[in-house]
């Protein structure tokens, strides 16, 4: 008798014993046995898309869709009271508690994801993509060969395994029009948001709902999306730094905006490590600069270099620059070689700006170029520690027709005009009023055309009147009300 025959007989013997045992049971006992077997069987795990999804880096023919798989359907509730002071730090927050118990925590989950884009003429669907712990269970896909000036419906599907139940998140976005199309453009931009500075107990931040109500074509965040070096927790480890992103992205108002509006993001120091961070700086606790970079790109995937440009039709082109990865140490003596941008990025900028025939051009930067800024600051082109490169940049930009600067980092809203070159800069201000600080509202300088020590956002519209292009910069409060406007036609 061979081994295969012997094994088969043993199997049949066990099977017959099972049938015999069952046949001697009454119907009630048999039903009870079946119920217990079903209850003890392993259930298929479910995943959730609690931190939402983002459509990012949209161009005429491409876009990136990003998401993260989660094991809990809703984030942890916010349990701590806050101080009645700027930033609204949490009271009696235990920095050493397990992360899974922290306010706003959203635990990740392994699993698989696929993305689908659909319009009236086509459907694009990816293979199943793995969500792994190595990348904090984030998944992204770079779509190419999209149709320009086209609305796409987005579907994100997540599963724990192929046999498991599906969870879905859905939204939409529009690709950029061709460079020759004089299409109206409506965009929004904001900066500086600390989780505990929220101003809506349920939605999170009023500004995000106010921006979404304007139905913008796209949104640009100019840095300090999270604050690693503010308590609740202090992000002194990789795990705590990742938690900051989970808690922020799960806020309902932020998720809702991203379901309808594509986003571009620029990093700044608090997104990366700590205040005034630069390559070679000491770790923040156990979190290193290199680890901070990895976490950033887990959450903000890019198709190429961190400095890039986008064209949205005939009348506007935008440059988004990188101010952390290539900069010299702030402590270095100011000279012609001391740079925030680095030589390669400066060369790219000086080649692409004059090559553009867009009607209006805007430099989006995480930090100010014009200011004015506080005398004690030492981290940007408006400060004396980077004055040589700052002088060059203001002079260069002022010579480009119809070009403006939009910056983040400053915790107040303003419009300023450089007295030496005439270059104009627009600071969007922080996301909430609780985050506004750092400037005396009575200290109105000659270069100020507008100054407001409150939160909100900047809305930029490009359109035409009687065939002539114009650009309109509107500062808005957290509820979306216009508090200041500047309108410009074409400089000949």
């Amino acid at each position: 008798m061979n081994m295969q025959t012997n094994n088969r007989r043993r199997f049949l013997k066990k099977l017959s014993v099972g049938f015999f045992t069952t046949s001697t049971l009454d119907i009630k006992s048999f039903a009870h046995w079946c119920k217990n077997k079903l209850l003890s069987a392993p259930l298929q795990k479910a995943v959730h898309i609690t931190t939402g999804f983002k459509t990012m880096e949209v161009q005429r023919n491409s876009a990136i869709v990003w998401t993260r798989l989660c094991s809990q359907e809703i984030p942890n509730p916010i349990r701590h009271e806050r101080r009645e002071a700027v930033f609204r730090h949490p009271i009696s927050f235990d920095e050493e508690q397990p992360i899974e118990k922290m306010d706003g925590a959203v635990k990740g989950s392994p699993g698989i994801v696929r993305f689908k884009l659909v319009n009236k003429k086509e459907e694009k669907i990816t293979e199943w993509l793995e969500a792994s712990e190595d990348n904090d269970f984030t998944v992204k896909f770079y779509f190419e060969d999209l149709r320009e000036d086209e609305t796409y419906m987005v579907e994100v599907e997540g599963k724990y395994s192929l046999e498991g139940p599906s969870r879905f998140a859905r939204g939409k976005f529009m690709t950029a029009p061709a460079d020759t199309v004089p299409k109206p453009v409506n965009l929004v931009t904001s900066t500086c948001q600390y989780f505990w500075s929220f101003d809506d107990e349920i939605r999170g931040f009023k500004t995000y709902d106010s921006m979404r109500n304007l139905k913008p074509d796209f949104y640009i965040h100019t840095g300090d999306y999270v604050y690693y070096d503010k308590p609740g927790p202090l992000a002194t480890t990789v795990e705590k730094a990742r938690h900051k992103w989970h808690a922020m992205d799960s806020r309902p108002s932020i998720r809702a905006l991203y379901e309808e509006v594509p986003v571009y993001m620029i990093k700044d120091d608090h997104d990366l490590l700590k205040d005034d961070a630069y390559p070679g700086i000491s770790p923040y606790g156990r979190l290193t600069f290199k680890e901070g970079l990895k976490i950033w790109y887990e959450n903000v995937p890019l198709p190429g270099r961190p400095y890039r440009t986008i064209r949205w039709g005939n009348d506007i082109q935008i440059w988004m620059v990188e101010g952390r990865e290539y900069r010299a140490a702030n402590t270095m003596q100011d000279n012609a070689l001391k740079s925030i941008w680095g030589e390669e990025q400066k060369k790219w900028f000086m080649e692409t700006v004059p090559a553009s025939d867009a009607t209006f051009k805007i430099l989006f930067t995480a930090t100010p170029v014009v200011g004015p800024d506080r005398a004690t600051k030492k981290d940007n082109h408006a400060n004396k520690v980077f004055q040589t490169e700052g002088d060059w940049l203001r002079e260069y930009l002022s010579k480009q027709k119809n070009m403006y600067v939009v910056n983040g980092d400053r915790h107040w809203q303003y419009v300023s005009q450089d007295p030496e070159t005439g270059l104009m800069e627009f600071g969007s201000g922080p996301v909430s009023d609780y985050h506004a600080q750092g400037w005396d509202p009575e200290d109105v300088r000659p270069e100020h055309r507008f100054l407001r020590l409150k939160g909100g956002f900047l809305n930029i519209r490009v359109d035409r009147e009687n065939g002539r292009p114009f650009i309109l910069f509107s500062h808005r409060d957290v509820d979306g009300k216009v508090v200041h406007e500047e309108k410009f036609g074409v400089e000949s």
Side-chain angles (χ1 to χ4, degrees), residues 72-268:
Q72 58 190 90
E73 189 171 5
I74 59 174
N76 287 359
I78 296 173
R79 299 177 288 109
H80 287 79
E81 298 293 326
R82 297 180 292 169
R83 295 174 184 156
E84 294 295 329
V86 175
F87 302 136
R88 306 300 298 275
H89 293 158
I91 298 171
S92 301
F93 188 92
D94 179 8
E95 292 282 337
E96 301 306 317
Q97 66 183 297
I99 292 172
E100 58 267 23
K101 294 184 178 181
M102 291 183 178
D103 308 57
V106 184
K107 189 176 180 180
S109 173
I112 51 177
V113 172
R114 67 179 174 186
F115 301 110
K116 182 191 295 185
L117 300 186
V118 180
N119 65 15
K120 296 177 181 178
K121 301 176 182 178
E122 62 181 338
E123 175 182 287
K124 292 179 177 289
I125 186 167
T126 69
E127 299 295 329
W128 286 106
L129 308 170
E130 182 183 7
S132 70
E133 187 175 10
D134 289 344
N135 293 311
D136 194 27
F137 310 108
T138 62
V139 182
K140 75 273 188 183
F141 189 83
Y142 180 51
F143 285 93
E144 299 180 276
D145 301 321
L146 302 182
R147 299 173 185 271
E148 64 189 28
D149 201 14
E150 183 80 41
T151 297
Y152 282 88
M153 308 307 294
V154 183
E155 180 181 272
V156 181
E157 181 180 5
K159 289 173 173 276
Y160 184 80
S161 66
L162 285 173
E163 296 76 25
S166 292
R167 291 292 185 272
F168 295 93
R170 296 180 176 89
K172 63 181 180 178
F173 71 95
M174 176 172 280
T175 53
D179 297 356
T180 56
V181 176
K183 188 174 182 179
V185 181
N186 174 27
L187 70 100
V188 290
T189 180
S190 66
T191 191
C192 298
Q193 55 190 48
Y194 169 40
F195 178 79
W196 291 98
S197 294
F198 63 84
D199 54 7
D200 188 303
E201 297 287 339
I202 298 174
R203 301 288 296 169
F205 296 98
K206 296 178 182 178
T207 282
Y208 276 87
D209 282 331
S210 297
M211 291 191 295
R212 181 170 54 88
N213 289 338
L214 296 178
K215 301 186 182 306
D217 295 299
F218 56 91
Y219 165 53
I220 300 177
H221 193 282
T222 53
D224 295 339
Y225 188 80
V226 292
Y227 276 79
Y228 288 166
D229 51 350
K230 287 192 182 299
L234 297 169
T236 54
T237 66
V238 168
E239 294 75 21
K240 289 180 179 179
R242 283 171 166 167
H243 160 78
K244 296 267 186 173
W245 288 88
H246 310 159
M248 188 65 73
D249 282 340
S250 63
R251 302 304 277 157
S253 62
I254 295 178
R255 286 190 56 177
L257 178 75
Y258 294 157
E259 287 171 359
E260 301 178 14
V261 181
V263 57
Y264 308 83
M265 300 181 73
I266 304 172
K267 78 169 86 56
D268 203 12

Side-chain angles (χ1 to χ4, degrees), residues 302-318:
L302 299 177
R305 298 167 300 189
Y307 51 91
R308 65 272 197 207
T309 181
I310 56 171
R311 180 75 177 262
W312 210 274
N314 185 84
D315 289 334
I316 188 169
Q317 185 162 344
I318 288 165

